[in-house]
Amino acid sequence: MVRTSLKVVGAQGQGVNSVGEMCAKGLKRAGYCVFGYREYMSLIRGGHSSYQLDSANTLIRSSETHVDVVVCFNHHGIRTNLPDLKEGGILIHQTAQWKFSPEEEKLISAKHLKIIELPTLDILRTLNAKPILGNVLITAVVWSIFRRKPEELKALVTEQFGHKADLLAQNFSCIEEGFAFHGKHAANICVTLPEPDDQWRKQLLLTGSHAMGLGIVHAGCRLYAGYPMTPSSPLLTYIADLQNETGMTVKQAEDEITAAQMMVGAMHMGTRAITATSDGGFDLMTETLSLAGITETPAVFVLAQRPGPGTGLPTWTAQGDLLLAVHAGHGEFPRLVLAPADSSDSFDLMPEAFNKAEEFQIPVIVLTDKHLAEALFTQKPYDQKRSQLRRGSLVTDPKKLKSLKASDRYDPSAPDGISLRWLPGSEAVTYCAQGDEHDSEGNVSEASANAAAQMQKRMKKLEALKASLPEPDITGSEHPEILIVSWGSTKGVVEDVLRDEAFRGRQIAHLHYTYLWPLKTERFVALARAAKHTVCVEGNHTGQLSMLLKRACGIGPTDEVLKADGRPFFSDELKEKLMPLLRP
């Protein structure tokens, strides 16, 4: 794989993202698969943020630590990100008369770096253009360095500003001046992109949150209740933006407790509803999660992970809440935990999350993370006919409703523990739905035999649920020497690494878990027993999937590659960590 990488850095509020996103659109339309990754501090303005865009003419689902081009909006970027450049890389900065330190000069010489000082403010004054148009000027210089045509950028800005003739003309002037500056002052400094591939031109360009939002709509969800908390906030924002088109009810609750109870209340009444939050917010929701467990009410929670404990690193990423999702809520009750890996999963798994919640009358927890939620993906158009609406044992037929008995609701003899369910207000007998232990009609009962029977009824669902789940996905060798196990957003970087030439021709398998609880282990056990090395790749400090595997089947990995610094795995970083396994 030949990839090209661009990193735009500066203070929050300077337009770092706008340059990255415009380049992403342009490169995708030019025939490249792009992957975007953001870093930013927990500040509205100031701090230091970056937008990294990796592109290739083949599938790409990760970033790398070193890049071809760094664009600096301020001098902090020069100091911080100059070392990020590859051998022969290009630094574009706007800090007039900047003097590099002796250490920086040494680095520039050793890595043969090329420096372009762009007098953005001077050019804008000459054009009589507003400072905000500096982002278009910078993008034009980058576009020229990539040997692309100015007409491609003009088409992009026309889409956005075509209805404003004066503003469009100013944008065009900035684009032309950016190309002219590069041609006059740095014409020999260029990046040669690989040959484009037409398959990428018509694909979608969207974040993980956008994909999940579309999946939620496609699932037939009618209510979104939430409280803003990074990194779940982009999902709330996107669903709210679609509210007029979808007719959904979007409610920003006063806190996470209320949001969870709104969701469970709506699901109890038969409306597909969802809530999303992050670590501390999910802690507040767990009492409601437990309530859904005993009332056997379908519920769907999205838990967007970030590093803890406490507030931790609120705008960074982690996979540290797997065990929280599996064990959250007091008492014992069945639940499904699943984790999308990319923009495909983020759409496709949401209808399935609702289906499983209704079929088994259980809470479903969807684990995403900051990296997946905010990463930018190149995505094939979704197959909207593949998913089905399944509501399980929900009784809606008028004749069947009239024949129901109150004891049908929590009947302990129900097959697989899944009893009949009907909606409040139906022309049927009533039953009690409450948080106390209850008998088959929902009446409070503290009798020993009844408590045991109801616990057994609920927990029987776990085996039926497990049987309904697919085995983890496997790619690569069927008889591996090396087995790599991943879950969630680590899938993309593992697959990118295994496409590297160093790993070709080796007996390597990649086993990826989407459904994390209950855990299916038959395929894992067969592969792990045959492999010389079994490696779990996780974005946490303790190897949480490894723990669950050992608990479920008694076999764990021989090796772990773990990371817990708030950053995702980068492709070259993971490659370096896996290379020792290739040695005899």
Side-chain angles (χ1 to χ4, degrees):
M1 177 195 299
V2 177
R3 71 165 76 202
T4 304
S5 44
L6 163 72
K7 194 168 191 176
V8 186
V9 300
Q12 278 133 242
Q14 284 191 298
V16 168
N17 292 345
S18 65
V19 174
E21 289 168 358
M22 187 175 293
C23 288
K25 285 183 181 180
L27 288 173
K28 196 274 296 184
R29 294 182 183 183
Y32 297 97
C33 180
V34 299
F35 182 82
Y37 164 62
R38 294 176 59 198
E39 290 187 353
Y40 57 95
M41 298 173 66
S42 53
L43 301 168
I44 301 299
R45 289 186 175 274
H48 187 68
S49 63
S50 67
Y51 193 107
Q52 181 168 332
L53 185 69
D54 288 53
S55 62
N57 58 6
T58 56
L59 181 65
I60 187 171
R61 284 288 185 264
S62 64
S63 305
E64 57 183 352
T65 54
H66 290 87
V67 299
D68 298 285
V69 181
V70 169
V71 177
C72 300
F73 275 73
N74 56 30
H75 70 281
H76 296 293
I78 303 174
R79 284 270 163 84
T80 304
N81 300 104
L82 182 67
D84 294 344
L85 284 164
K86 298 177 183 177
E87 177 84 15
I90 302 166
L91 176 76
I92 304 172
H93 74 89
Q94 307 173 87
T95 307
Q97 300 179 340
W98 175 258
K99 300 296 183 183
F100 291 98
S101 69
E103 293 78 10
E104 290 168 339
E105 292 282 7
K106 185 177 180 180
L107 178 65
I108 291 168
S109 176
K111 296 179 74 171
H112 305 98
L113 303 181
K114 304 173 183 69
I115 311 299
I116 299 175
E117 181 181 320
L118 177 64
T120 302
L121 294 178
D122 292 342
I123 294 173
L124 293 176
R125 276 193 290 266
T126 300
L127 297 174
N128 196 28
K130 296 178 180 179
I132 195 171
L133 291 174
N135 295 342
V136 178
L137 176 67
I138 294 166
T139 305
V141 174
V142 173
W143 210 240
S144 182
I145 287 172
F146 284 166
R147 302 179 189 270
R148 303 304 307 176
K149 298 177 180 179
E151 290 73 23
E152 294 170 333
L153 278 186
K154 289 182 178 180
L156 288 175
V157 300
T158 298
E159 290 178 14
Q160 188 170 358
F161 302 113
H163 61 293
K164 298 180 179 179
D166 291 345
L167 187 56
L168 184 63
Q170 291 182 42
N171 274 275
F172 280 8
S173 296
C174 288
I175 291 171
E176 291 163 1
E177 194 61 32
F179 273 80
F181 174 85
H182 176 243
K184 183 177 181 180
H185 299 283
N188 62 328
I189 301 177
C190 291
V191 173
T192 302
L193 299 173
E195 286 296 314
D197 188 328
D198 283 347
Q199 69 169 307
W200 307 113
R201 296 183 194 273
K202 294 183 179 180
Q203 293 200 13
L204 306 174
L205 194 63
L206 76 176
T207 68
S209 293
H210 294 160
M212 183 171 286
L214 292 172
I216 289 169
V217 172
H218 187 53
C221 181
R222 306 307 302 149
L223 168 69
Y224 184 107
Y227 183 82
M229 188 174 187
T230 304
S232 70
S233 298
L235 181 59
L236 170 59
T237 301
Y238 185 64
I239 291 288
D241 288 343
L242 295 177
Q243 185 174 8
N244 290 338
E245 296 176 63
T246 62
M248 287 176 62
T249 297
V250 180
K251 176 64 176 177
Q252 179 176 320
E254 61 266 31
D255 54 40
E256 290 86 352
I257 297 172
T258 306
Q261 293 182 346
M262 285 180 172
M263 179 272 292
V264 171
M267 292 286 269
H268 177 67
M269 294 298 296
T271 296
R272 284 197 161 184
I274 194 168
T275 189
T277 186
S278 189
D279 311 350
F282 187 73
D283 291 342
L284 296 174
M285 292 182 175
T286 55
E287 184 177 12
T288 303
L289 176 76
S290 186
L291 175 67
I294 196 168
T295 59
E296 302 185 49
T297 303
V300 182
F301 298 81
V302 174
L303 170 50
Q305 301 165 99
R306 68 190 202 187
T311 303
L313 299 170
T315 59
W316 300 82
T317 198
Q319 289 185 307
D321 293 337
L322 174 55
L323 295 182
L324 171 65
V326 170
H327 298 295
H330 52 286
E332 298 172 288
F333 56 94
R335 88 279 304 278
L336 172 64
V337 179
L338 59 91
D342 50 30
S343 54
S344 294
D345 279 355
S346 294
F347 179 87
D348 292 336
L349 291 176
M350 296 316 297
E352 201 59 24
F354 281 98
N355 287 342
K356 293 295 186 187
E358 293 210 78
E359 286 179 308
F360 292 91
Q361 301 170 28
I362 56 171
V364 173
I365 301 168
V366 181
L367 277 174
T368 182
D369 56 48
K370 184 265 179 188
H371 181 53
L372 172 55
E374 298 187 357
L376 188 69
F377 294 89
T378 309
Q379 169 65 46
K380 290 181 181 179
Y382 294 111
D383 181 358
Q384 298 180 48
K385 296 181 180 180
R386 186 168 66 181
S387 63
Q388 300 174 339
L389 179 66
R390 305 194 305 271
R391 307 203 71 178
S393 299
L394 178 65
V395 180
T396 57
D397 181 80
K399 291 183 179 179
K400 291 183 179 180
L401 284 169
K402 291 179 181 179
S403 67
L404 290 170
K405 304 184 298 295
S407 59
D408 290 331
R409 180 62 192 103
Y410 298 114
D411 180 7
S413 67
D416 297 325
I418 304 167
S419 50
L420 297 178
R421 168 177 163 247
W422 59 99
L423 304 180
S426 300
E427 290 190 16
V429 65
T430 60
Y431 65 90
C432 295
Q434 58 187 312
D436 287 88
E437 188 57 275
H438 46 254
D439 62 16
S440 59
E441 295 184 2
N443 300 313
V444 174
S445 173
E446 298 185 3
S448 171
N450 178 76
Q454 287 296 324
M455 175 62 77
Q456 186 177 20
K457 172 200 184 300
R458 293 189 292 267
M459 296 308 290
K460 275 195 299 185
K461 296 179 187 180
L462 204 54
E463 284 304 313
L465 173 62
K466 182 178 178 181
S468 76
L469 301 178
E471 288 281 347
D473 295 331
I474 182 171
T475 55
S477 173
E478 295 182 0
H479 306 284
E481 293 182 4
I482 301 170
L483 174 64
I484 298 174
V485 183
S486 66
W487 67 275
S489 63
T490 55
K491 179 182 181 180
V493 67
V494 170
E495 292 191 341
D496 279 358
V497 168
L498 293 184
R499 284 193 290 269
D500 189 274
E501 186 175 346
F503 294 90
R504 292 177 189 167
R506 303 301 296 262
Q507 297 296 100
I508 302 174
H510 176 206
L511 191 71
H512 180 79
Y513 272 94
T514 298
Y515 294 92
L516 293 155
W517 194 260
L519 200 61
K520 301 195 82 161
T521 58
E522 293 84 355
R523 182 171 287 176
F524 168 76
V525 169
L527 293 168
R529 283 176 173 167
K532 182 178 178 182
H533 296 283
T534 299
V535 189
C536 260
V537 179
E538 302 188 57
N540 55 59
H541 184 72
T542 54
Q544 296 186 20
L545 178 58
S546 297
M547 292 184 193
L548 292 180
L549 287 168
K550 291 174 187 176
R551 170 181 165 183
C553 65
I555 298 176
T558 59
D559 302 89
E560 293 177 329
V561 176
L562 306 175
K563 187 174 184 181
D565 63 354
R567 281 72 177 167
F569 286 100
F570 297 95
S571 57
D572 48 345
E573 169 195 33
L574 184 59
K575 175 185 174 181
E576 183 179 347
K577 291 180 181 296
L578 294 177
M579 283 296 290
L581 301 177
L582 301 180
R583 297 170 188 156

